[in-house]
Amino acid sequence: AQLQAAQPLLHSESGAPVMAVNTVGQGRVIVCLADNFMTDQLTYADPKLVNMESPYALLQGVRSVLDEYFASFSPVALDPPGLNVRVNCTSDAPRKLLVTLTNNNLFADWRGTLRVKGRKVDSLREWWENRDLKPGAPLTVPAGDVRILEVWAP
């Protein structure tokens, strides 16, 4: 496939564009040409517990490009990336963020740090275990688990 105005974001091993972006008006359109033949079927540790067909994993390159793009809209950043992040803001406390971190990897714990872009974190509280955490200190989200953090940043 030959691109006309779009810019490639990711190429296959043979050099063909797998992902491309094109500017349209004031926005952008991202097109992905990956199919099931270019993905890996996940295997469950115990298929009898799940009772459904195994899903397919998105190509690592495609996931990397999309994760970076969508993360650019979030007020928080993770280092390293790799978790599903949800951020809730409330009108009654504009300095408070509720950050939900979901580790969809069922085989490995995530260890890293969280920061609020352009702000200093004053306090950090983990709701699940009901404990205060040191801002900037390493966090752990176990495989397949969730952490909900109350983050105060001026």
Side-chain angles (χ1 to χ4, degrees):
Q2 294 293 327
L3 299 178
Q4 300 301 313
Q7 299 300 312
L9 296 173
L10 184 68
H11 290 90
S12 69
E13 291 175 356
S14 67
V18 175
M19 265 185 109
V21 63
N22 193 13
T23 302
V24 179
Q26 294 181 352
R28 293 181 287 177
V29 175
I30 297 175
V31 177
C32 179
L33 304 171
D35 63 24
N36 280 346
F37 298 110
M38 298 175 66
T39 60
D40 296 321
Q41 189 170 18
L42 300 175
T43 55
Y44 295 118
D46 188 349
K48 293 176 186 173
L49 292 175
V50 180
N51 196 26
M52 61 193 272
E53 182 180 337
S54 298
Y56 286 83
L58 194 59
L59 289 170
Q60 290 299 324
V62 173
R63 180 176 176 178
S64 177
V65 170
L66 292 178
D67 282 352
E68 185 177 325
Y69 176 73
F70 288 114
S72 72
F73 297 106
S74 178
V76 302
L78 298 178
D79 184 30
L83 297 180
N84 182 305
V85 179
R86 297 286 181 255
V87 180
N88 295 355
C89 307
T90 60
S91 60
D92 62 325
R95 292 182 40 224
K96 179 173 83 171
L97 299 173
L98 290 179
V99 180
T100 303
L101 305 175
T102 306
N103 186 352
N104 290 325
N105 185 332
L106 302 178
F107 306 104
D109 294 350
W110 177 88
R111 289 179 180 83
T113 57
L114 174 138
R115 68 178 174 84
V116 177
K117 296 176 185 174
R119 295 186 178 193
K120 178 181 176 281
V121 174
D122 281 347
S123 68
L124 186 63
R125 181 160 192 80
E126 204 283 327
W127 279 16
W128 206 261
E129 296 175 355
N130 196 27
R131 63 186 173 107
D132 291 324
L133 304 173
K134 181 179 176 187
L139 303 169
T140 299
V141 182
D145 210 343
V146 174
R147 291 290 179 257
I148 302 172
L149 306 172
E150 180 180 296
V151 181
W152 287 84

